[in-house]
Amino acid sequence: MPKQTWIVDQKDRLDTFLSTKLQVAKNQVLQLIKAGCVRLNGGACSKGGVGVKLGDVLEIWSIQPQESQPLSLPPLDLEIIYEDEDILVINKPPHLVVHHASSVKEATLVDYLQARGYALSTLSGALRYGIVHRLDKDTSGVLVVAKNNASHAHLATQLKSKQMGRYYLAILSEPLNNPVSVACHLGRHPNNRLKMTNLDALRTPIRGGKMSKTHFVPLITGTNQTQLICAKLETGRTHQIRAHLESLNRHIVGDPLYGQKDSYAGRILLHAYLLYVTHPKDGRKLLFKANMLKDMLQYLENHFEGMSWDGLESSIGDLFGSIAG
């Protein structure tokens, strides 16, 4: 099993020391401790709050994937945008859950990656190997996966410090009049636990939630008042784009949870289009594009007369090209 050894160079709590050295969140350190992967001066550790002092020796092993029966997975056409020994960048198709949870019964992206023999980081613990950030089941687009723990730690730090970010494309059922930003505390809807909502805007405000911010830019409006927009995330909360649009009384086509049921029977038309990131090993500034999938392209062709996707794509590139530099 891969092992790292650290000589403690300052007095601190065990979980705080390892969180700083490994550049991961404390909950990830606690997963390692709980799994028996941390030893202090040769002895097992069971609590993150134990104190460490100068000269103590810490040994940390990676969490190892549990042996399981091979899954019988249906075919999946998975587009690989970029791959090296540290990261894997894909264009995630819709109708695919990224990783397992208690409510997930179907095969996940992690299952497919493991079945294809990809080496994945283990810092996120069981069932989330390699996953640094996620996309909702029916959202398509660019996703970066960590292939080792050092890359995972580096990418997680970038995500937290906003050195890594994403731009989304979405098709709205009613247009925005101008560019607009939404900043609010986002939390569970008090009357519908499946939804997130702007807690600050409730008639009776609810304390709590997490701060969230999204920028929205209209791109082109169709003949039936549908509109293609771009969304830039400043934070990465659950259902953030959908909940923020609902607070503006706008909704994504194909999203009955946050919008209205309409004649469109397809999935939610939301796509993670661009991802910018610093390579975890060599420090290169990278920009990845996930081509829009054919269901969204078909909708645009049917509802936006005379639209040239090549011309629109060029406009989007001009609009956000500054991040590549």
Side-chain angles (χ1 to χ4, degrees):
M1 289 176 19
K3 181 182 75 170
Q4 299 182 63
T5 301
W6 296 92
I7 306 298
V8 176
D9 56 5
Q10 64 183 44
K11 186 178 179 180
D12 212 332
R13 283 171 52 112
L14 173 64
D15 53 4
T16 302
F17 178 84
L18 287 180
S19 177
T20 300
K21 291 297 184 183
L22 296 173
Q23 293 188 304
V24 298
K26 281 189 179 180
N27 68 322
Q28 293 175 316
V29 171
L30 293 174
Q31 288 179 20
L32 291 172
I33 294 172
K34 185 178 180 180
C37 297
V38 179
R39 297 181 72 83
L40 173 61
N41 296 326
C45 298
S46 59
K47 295 182 179 179
V50 65
V52 294
K53 59 185 184 299
L54 288 173
D56 282 347
V57 178
L58 287 169
E59 298 170 291
I60 303 97
W61 284 265
S62 299
I63 298 176
Q64 297 301 300
Q66 297 177 352
E67 294 294 331
S68 60
Q69 294 297 320
L71 289 175
S72 177
L73 301 175
L76 177 68
D77 184 15
L78 189 62
E79 179 187 352
I80 306 300
I81 298 173
Y82 175 85
E83 181 182 5
D84 61 25
E85 63 183 4
D86 299 296
I87 61 173
L88 173 71
V89 183
I90 67 166
N91 188 353
K92 186 188 90 68
H95 315 301
L96 178 65
V97 177
V98 171
H99 60 71
H100 279 285
S102 58
S103 59
V104 175
K105 306 304 179 185
E106 69 262 42
T108 68
L109 172 63
V110 170
D111 291 327
Y112 280 99
L113 294 178
Q114 289 182 319
R116 296 185 184 191
Y118 283 101
L120 302 173
S121 72
T122 58
L123 281 183
S124 288
L127 308 181
R128 297 189 182 190
Y129 302 119
I131 303 304
V132 181
H133 66 112
R134 58 183 292 276
L135 295 173
D136 290 339
K137 177 180 179 179
D138 286 335
T139 301
S140 58
V142 62
L143 185 77
V144 61
V145 177
K147 297 178 72 174
N148 54 63
N149 287 353
S151 295
H152 191 131
H154 199 288
L155 293 174
T157 299
Q158 289 185 52
L159 192 62
K160 186 175 181 180
S161 65
K162 298 181 176 61
Q163 292 176 283
M164 179 170 75
R166 291 152 286 169
Y167 289 91
Y168 289 73
L169 296 175
I171 301 176
L172 303 188
S173 57
E174 184 179 349
L176 294 170
N177 297 321
N178 297 291
V180 62
S181 297
V182 176
C184 66
H185 288 89
L186 205 61
R188 289 287 171 188
H189 195 291
N191 300 322
N192 186 342
R193 303 302 292 174
L194 296 177
K195 296 175 63 174
M196 307 298 286
T197 193
N198 179 348
L199 298 180
D200 304 329
L202 296 178
R203 182 170 299 178
T204 304
I206 297 175
R207 298 182 63 183
K210 294 182 178 180
M211 195 60 199
S212 59
K213 188 173 185 179
T214 311
H215 307 286
F216 298 105
V217 179
L219 295 176
I220 185 171
T221 302
T223 54
N224 61 346
Q225 293 300 295
T226 56
Q227 185 181 68
L228 180 68
I229 68 163
C230 181
K232 170 65 173 71
L233 296 177
E234 292 291 340
T235 54
R237 312 303 181 199
T238 301
H239 295 182
Q240 179 174 315
I241 291 175
R242 300 157 70 188
H244 280 182
L245 285 170
E246 185 181 48
S247 74
L248 298 171
N249 197 30
R250 298 294 188 273
H251 311 282
I252 301 175
V253 173
D255 187 7
L257 179 61
Y258 286 89
Q260 305 96 0
K261 291 184 178 179
D262 53 36
S263 59
Y264 181 70
R267 56 100 176 187
I268 178 173
L269 295 182
L270 177 63
H271 179 76
Y273 182 62
L274 296 175
L275 169 77
Y276 59 93
V277 64
T278 300
H279 193 280
K281 180 172 287 184
D282 58 31
R284 284 178 294 148
K285 302 294 184 182
L286 302 173
L287 178 66
F288 298 110
K289 178 184 73 173
N291 292 322
M292 194 183 294
L293 303 183
K294 59 184 179 181
D295 57 349
M296 288 186 69
L297 288 173
Q298 185 65 56
Y299 190 93
L300 289 173
E301 290 176 4
N302 292 341
H303 295 83
F304 292 73
E305 288 186 3
M307 189 207 74
S308 165
W309 171 244
D310 289 339
L312 179 60
E313 188 175 38
S314 176
S315 299
I316 295 170
D318 292 340
L319 185 60
F320 301 112
S322 61
I323 62 174

